[in-house]
Amino acid sequence: MRIELNQLKEFLLDSNLIPREKVEEAAAEAVKDKKNLGTLLLEKKLIQEAELQKVYAYILGIPFVDLSKEAIPIEILQIVPELIAKKYNIVSFEKTGTNLKVAMLNPEDLQTIDFIKKKTGLKIVPCLTTRESIQTALHQYEKSLKAEFGDILTGDIKPDGESRDEENLEQVAAGLPIIRIVDTLLKHAILESASDIHIEPDEKEVHVRYRIDGVLHDAMTLPKDVAAGIVARIKVLSNLKLDEHRLPQDGRFKIQNDEYKISFRVSMLPVFDGEKIVMRLLDETSKGLTLEKMGLTGPALEAVHREINKPNGMILVTGPTGSGKTTTLYTVMDILNTPEVNISTVEDPVEYRMPRVNQTQINPKVGMTFAAALRSLLRQDPDIIMVGEIRDQETLEIAMHAAMTGHLVLSTLHTNSAAATLPRMLDMGAEPFLIASTVNVIIAQRLIRRLCVECRKAYTLDKKEVESLGKSYDIDAIFKYLKNDPVGKKFVEKAKDWSEITMYKPVGCDQCGGEGYRGRNGIYEVLPMDTDIRKLVTQAATTEDIENQAKKNGMSTMAEDGFLKIIQGITSLEEVMRATTE
């Protein structure tokens, strides 16, 4: 909230809520340390949060409300959806005619107020409240969920354990309460920008979790009675066998309206207490993703653009599961997707549908493996081939021969660094001269969470923290890299050592739902195959030798790219350490 330090100071001096000398002392400290005066007063326990919020409300000229002992009617509470309420700390509690009163921690959050106004068509009257009051009100959503789904949660229409036949399950799946529960789970996940939904049964309950920005969060807990109905409903949507409970099943379905078009990739796995469901959400409306937006910059970006525009050779993207490799490949294909070229892919599974791209789904049960599909693909006159993953020697050899015979081949490998990819290919049985002559560039990557720009906090490392950092990284080499980097030197040119470099840490606010992070970005190391690297590959050199030579040739490591993004305020030290330290 934009309340000036002097405004708050003058009001506190006039009101005698806090002794005059304490106010003056705190105000001076706030100016010196560039801190918020209200936050400082709370830290020093000179004022209670409720009192401070009342002061803010008076200064801003808006009402103050305490909901900690209020029972809000269900129909009023649900005017603001639960996930919006939790994400932005806003609760609707009173409706009079066309006026809707909402309790907020930040009544100046005009974007959220405008969003709710458009959704409801009501005039929004913001009121200031305390964090404790908001939390108490948010707990009432759990009760409202049970009220909304009361008929199913009381077990009135659960299928009997003895009569779990297909017809019975179809009836349950088509029942209105089950449809509403599943619709709510899916819509909430879309609102939260979740990448995955996990529905996990245990002995007494069903747990629903959403993966948001790479981290799993508890979304809701439902009684065990609804498990069979939810499983049946999702099987119906995904066109899976209703009466198959012993074998894993995979399927997909789509939800489309004016606002979004989301494809859900469904995986069913039998577990001890039933069937676990994991759904991957794929936004088919998201356009305009570029390598720059994904986090590639400088010489690394130039190298990738240069190599992908060559008519033949291999572009390899490496990293662990969930590091964004497929997204990088799709972005490259989007850049190359012009009417002049024929692009064909072999994938497991097909993630996103792309116009003018021939996408093939592998099916090992009928002999359609990566190698078999790739062999057939070469007879389809392709210019560019994307192989979802190179898993075995046969696929690797066919891909390399395709790259030698005038095709551009894009693929992924599971290795920890760009330099480790080349010895890994040798281990898989590839000939050194073939690797040296076909590979154009290797991109190794990890995903890191982006700091929320609304609440990130600047700080510097102390001596002990610098020493601790030195145990995990070659900090002298990274410091030198930042000094020489065209972007990095703007941030560190006056710094003599690490203790003088500004970094940022997460805090948590209304905009990021208290997490301190919003969205994700990539950190990369890009290894172009030049003459020196090719010579080392033909000599079957070690990962270390290849990496040292690549650094001499100007390659920045993932850690260096990570630290560049730390000093730019894009991410935190903790995120880079999580992604780059083994």
Side-chain angles (χ1 to χ4, degrees):
M1 288 178 288
R2 291 189 186 88
I3 293 177
E4 298 295 327
L5 184 144
N6 286 334
Q7 277 182 292
L8 181 55
K9 178 184 167 184
E10 292 303 321
F11 184 89
L12 291 171
L13 290 171
D14 290 343
S15 64
N16 292 320
L17 279 170
I18 303 171
R20 177 174 286 270
E21 64 277 6
K22 294 284 185 188
V23 175
E24 296 283 5
E25 190 183 299
E29 189 178 332
V31 171
K32 183 187 169 190
D33 297 342
K34 295 180 181 176
K35 279 189 171 183
N36 180 282
L37 177 56
T39 307
L40 196 61
L41 293 170
L42 287 174
E43 284 174 8
K44 290 177 175 291
K45 296 183 179 173
L46 293 171
I47 194 169
Q48 296 295 318
E49 189 194 6
E51 290 297 324
L52 182 64
Q53 293 291 79
K54 284 177 186 175
V55 169
Y56 284 162
Y58 184 85
I59 294 171
L60 292 168
I62 61 170
F64 175 85
V65 64
D66 182 3
L67 300 176
S68 55
K69 292 174 184 173
E70 295 285 329
I72 305 168
I74 292 163
E75 62 276 11
I76 303 295
L77 188 69
Q78 290 185 335
I79 291 173
V80 176
E82 182 183 1
L83 290 187
I84 296 294
K86 284 185 173 176
K87 191 169 185 179
Y88 298 107
N89 286 310
I90 180 167
V91 173
S92 52
F93 66 94
E94 188 182 308
K95 181 174 176 281
T96 312
T98 57
N99 287 355
L100 179 70
K101 284 190 177 179
V102 294
M104 305 178 72
L105 292 178
N106 180 13
E108 291 191 332
D109 182 2
L110 301 178
Q111 199 173 352
T112 303
I113 292 170
D114 193 47
F115 172 77
I116 294 167
K117 183 181 175 182
K118 284 177 182 172
K119 284 282 181 188
T120 61
L122 300 170
K123 183 185 175 186
I124 307 302
V125 181
C127 302
L128 195 58
T129 190
T130 64
R131 197 169 291 277
E132 184 187 355
S133 169
I134 283 279
Q135 290 305 319
T136 306
L138 290 174
H139 284 311
Q140 296 187 41
Y141 274 98
E142 292 169 20
K143 297 168 191 170
S144 72
L145 184 71
K146 290 187 180 180
E148 188 182 347
F149 302 138
D151 44 0
I152 181 72
L153 299 184
T154 52
D156 292 344
I157 62 163
K158 62 177 178 176
D160 190 289
E162 296 299 314
S163 58
R164 259 191 173 196
D165 54 36
E166 189 168 351
E167 189 179 338
N168 198 333
L169 286 168
E170 275 182 13
Q171 289 172 3
V172 174
L176 185 62
I178 280 292
I179 289 173
R180 290 208 328 252
I181 286 177
V182 173
D183 283 356
T184 301
L185 297 181
L186 301 181
K187 284 172 188 171
H188 280 208
I190 294 166
L191 278 172
E192 286 272 30
S193 303
S195 61
D196 300 85
I197 305 170
H198 290 239
I199 301 173
E200 304 162 322
D202 67 14
E203 192 177 352
K204 294 177 181 175
E205 295 171 319
V206 178
H207 301 282
V208 181
R209 297 192 289 170
Y210 296 154
R211 189 178 293 281
I212 302 164
D213 292 339
V215 179
L216 275 171
H217 298 268
D218 285 324
M220 57 190 80
T221 302
L222 300 170
K224 186 67 183 286
D225 299 345
V226 303
I230 290 174
V231 169
R233 174 64 183 160
I234 291 169
K235 282 182 178 178
V236 167
L237 287 171
S238 312
N239 203 19
L240 300 176
K241 291 179 183 176
L242 274 174
D243 57 348
E244 180 57 78
H245 306 288
R246 297 170 300 168
L247 293 173
Q249 295 191 76
D250 295 313
R252 63 195 305 153
F253 64 91
K254 217 172 263 184
I255 290 181
Q256 185 173 357
N257 63 17
D258 295 338
E259 294 175 30
Y260 49 73
K261 182 181 179 184
I262 307 287
S263 178
F264 290 81
R265 202 181 76 210
V266 180
S267 171
M268 296 263 180
L269 181 71
V271 293
F272 189 79
D273 292 298
E275 289 173 83
K276 176 178 173 176
I277 306 166
V278 176
M279 291 181 274
R280 169 68 53 90
L281 282 71
L282 304 162
D283 187 355
E284 297 193 356
T285 56
S286 58
K287 300 284 180 196
L289 194 60
T290 63
L291 295 172
E292 292 90 333
K293 283 182 186 174
M294 290 166 64
L296 268 165
T297 55
L301 177 66
E302 289 168 19
V304 172
H305 274 296
R306 183 175 65 247
E307 300 300 336
I308 66 175
N309 283 303
K310 288 183 177 176
N312 59 281
M314 287 184 85
I315 313 290
L316 293 172
V317 184
T318 78
T321 303
S323 58
K325 300 187 295 295
T326 307
T327 305
T328 300
L329 286 185
Y330 272 102
T331 305
V332 169
M333 282 198 294
D334 194 40
I335 294 166
L336 300 173
N337 191 6
T338 61
E340 294 81 38
V341 294
N342 173 20
I343 303 178
S344 296
T345 77
V346 186
E347 302 173 64
D348 181 27
V350 172
E351 296 265 10
Y352 294 95
R353 297 293 308 278
M354 288 190 79
R356 304 179 68 95
V357 173
N358 311 288
Q359 295 171 273
T360 304
Q361 166 79 52
I362 74 156
N363 186 355
K365 288 179 187 174
V366 296
M368 178 72 106
T369 60
F370 273 117
L374 190 50
R375 205 175 278 114
S376 298
L377 208 61
L378 290 170
R379 295 193 285 273
Q380 290 278 313
D381 185 32
D383 298 297
I384 298 163
I385 300 168
M386 193 273 263
V387 185
E389 186 185 342
I390 292 175
R391 296 176 182 171
D392 54 54
Q393 184 179 354
E394 189 181 7
T395 309
L396 177 60
E397 284 179 353
I398 298 168
M400 285 169 51
H401 281 106
M404 278 188 74
T405 53
H407 306 91
L408 185 67
V409 179
L410 316 173
S411 192
T412 69
L413 268 172
H414 286 279
T415 58
N416 288 329
S417 67
T421 306
L422 300 165
R424 169 82 180 116
M425 292 170 79
L426 290 170
D427 289 342
M428 289 175 77
E431 294 291 342
F433 75 90
L434 268 179
I435 298 172
S437 57
T438 56
V439 176
N440 289 357
V441 67
I442 300 164
I443 306 162
Q445 66 180 73
R446 299 287 187 280
L447 287 178
I448 41 106
R449 289 185 290 170
R450 293 180 69 100
L451 282 166
C452 171
V453 293
E454 300 294 328
C455 65
R456 66 185 182 186
K457 184 179 179 184
Y459 74 105
T460 52
L461 297 172
D462 60 32
K463 192 177 178 182
K464 281 187 179 177
E465 287 170 327
V466 173
E467 286 173 8
S468 176
L469 197 60
K471 292 173 186 175
S472 302
Y473 300 101
D474 182 350
I475 54 174
D476 293 334
I478 293 173
F479 189 80
K480 187 179 176 185
Y481 163 76
L482 295 176
K483 282 276 190 183
N484 293 325
D485 183 83
V487 175
K489 66 183 178 186
K490 295 175 190 173
F491 294 88
V492 300
E493 59 186 348
K494 293 178 182 175
K496 296 183 183 69
D497 56 37
W498 280 100
S499 63
E500 295 179 9
I501 294 177
T502 302
M503 295 187 179
Y504 296 86
K505 63 172 81 168
V507 176
C509 67
D510 302 339
Q511 296 298 315
C512 59
E515 289 286 315
Y517 296 99
R518 289 175 75 189
R520 287 194 285 179
N521 207 251
I523 53 173
Y524 302 87
E525 57 185 34
V526 174
L527 173 58
M529 290 288 285
D530 56 25
T531 309
D532 296 327
I533 302 295
R534 291 183 203 279
K535 197 179 290 181
L536 286 173
V537 172
T538 55
Q539 295 164 4
T542 64
T543 300
E544 193 177 355
D545 291 338
I546 293 168
E547 187 161 307
N548 288 336
Q549 184 60 53
K551 285 180 187 174
K552 282 181 191 173
N553 295 352
M555 180 187 84
S556 58
T557 64
M558 239 180 304
E560 288 168 348
D561 190 34
F563 275 87
L564 180 61
K565 288 180 169 72
I566 291 169
I567 63 170
Q568 287 177 276
I570 293 169
T571 192
S572 66
L573 178 59
E574 291 77 16
E575 277 295 294
V576 171
M577 290 188 77
R578 179 183 60 79
T580 59
T581 53
E582 297 301 325

